[in-house]
Amino acid sequence: MLKPLVQDKINQQINNEFYSSYSYLAMAAYCEHQQFQGCARWLRLQSQEEYAHAMRLYDFLSNRGGRVLLQIIRQPTTEFESLSAVFDAVLAQEQEVTAQIDSLYELAMEQKSFAALVELEWFIQEQVEEEKSAREIVHKFHLVGHDPASLLELDRQLGERTSSSDASSTSDR
Ligand code: MG
């Protein structure tokens, strides 16, 4: 059985992942309104990926005989100063999730919840990838600045993302 403290914190992380999904969807809506459909596509897929993260923890809790307790998802940020600011927010969000996962891992270690530790290792690796792809995109936005042609090209590249697990679709270009 899962330790109660670990179960509570996994439930909290399920909420954090759903919030993350909701927040990316709000960013996608902003980009769609600004007519940057490529960025919107990337963010919609990212939203789906975060939903899958929440469900992965949901399944873990359920498989361990724990109780999934869903909580209120807080309101995400809906307004941004620019496209570049959206992706600054993506990176900040991923860094925040990394800190949440690290703290959950630390608790699982203290509580000797070995199955949770193994499950969380997947999330730790995932966060390395998430931060890397976000950092690359932020860098590209900072390089292009306000040049409309370059922004359109970057939007086109981001729109090439094809799956929710392929956040770095533009990383090798
Ligand atoms: Mg996540």
Side-chain angles (χ1 to χ4, degrees):
M1 278 296 286
L2 272 171
K3 306 279 167 54
L5 273 176
V6 175
Q7 172 171 300
D8 287 353
K9 198 134 177 173
I10 290 175
N11 269 312
Q12 181 56 51
Q13 192 56 30
I14 289 172
N15 184 264
N16 292 338
E17 301 287 347
F18 277 129
Y19 169 77
S20 203
S21 173
Y22 208 37
S23 173
Y24 285 135
L25 196 56
M27 293 177 194
Y30 168 86
C31 291
E32 268 153 42
H33 189 68
Q34 303 291 319
Q35 303 301 328
F36 285 104
Q37 304 299 342
C39 292
R41 176 182 171 82
W42 191 96
L43 288 158
R44 277 183 183 229
L45 288 168
Q46 190 66 17
S47 174
Q48 287 176 19
E49 182 171 10
E50 298 308 331
Y51 176 86
H53 291 170
M55 290 310 293
R56 192 179 167 116
L57 289 171
Y58 176 115
D59 287 339
F60 174 75
L61 213 50
S62 186
N63 292 343
R64 296 292 295 158
R67 179 81 204 278
V68 174
L69 294 167
L70 298 180
Q71 303 157 26
I72 289 173
I73 303 171
R74 73 182 191 275
Q75 160 123 45
T77 303
T78 53
E79 295 301 332
F80 300 89
E81 282 187 7
S82 64
L83 216 49
S84 178
V86 170
F87 285 89
D88 288 343
V90 169
L91 177 58
Q93 186 165 301
E94 288 306 332
Q95 287 168 336
E96 194 182 329
V97 171
T98 298
Q100 291 161 354
I101 297 289
D102 285 354
S103 132
L104 183 47
Y105 191 85
E106 193 177 4
L107 177 76
M109 202 178 261
E110 283 164 12
Q111 297 284 315
K112 297 185 168 51
S113 283
F114 300 116
L117 285 172
V118 171
E119 178 64 25
L120 289 168
E121 270 168 22
W122 182 89
F123 281 86
I124 288 173
Q125 282 184 335
E126 176 69 13
Q127 283 312 117
V128 172
E129 288 304 312
E130 296 275 44
E131 280 195 41
K132 176 174 176 277
S133 56
R135 207 173 291 116
E136 283 167 357
I137 296 169
V138 163
H139 177 67
K140 286 180 182 178
F141 271 107
H142 290 181
L143 278 180
V144 307
H146 297 289
D147 176 49
S150 306
L151 276 175
L152 286 173
E153 171 57 19
L154 187 47
D155 183 59
R156 191 194 61 74
Q157 282 183 18
L158 288 166
E160 286 178 350
R161 179 173 180 181
T162 52
S163 82
S164 59
S165 57
D166 176 28
S168 57
S169 66
T170 73
S171 65
D172 55 351
R173 293 197 179 87

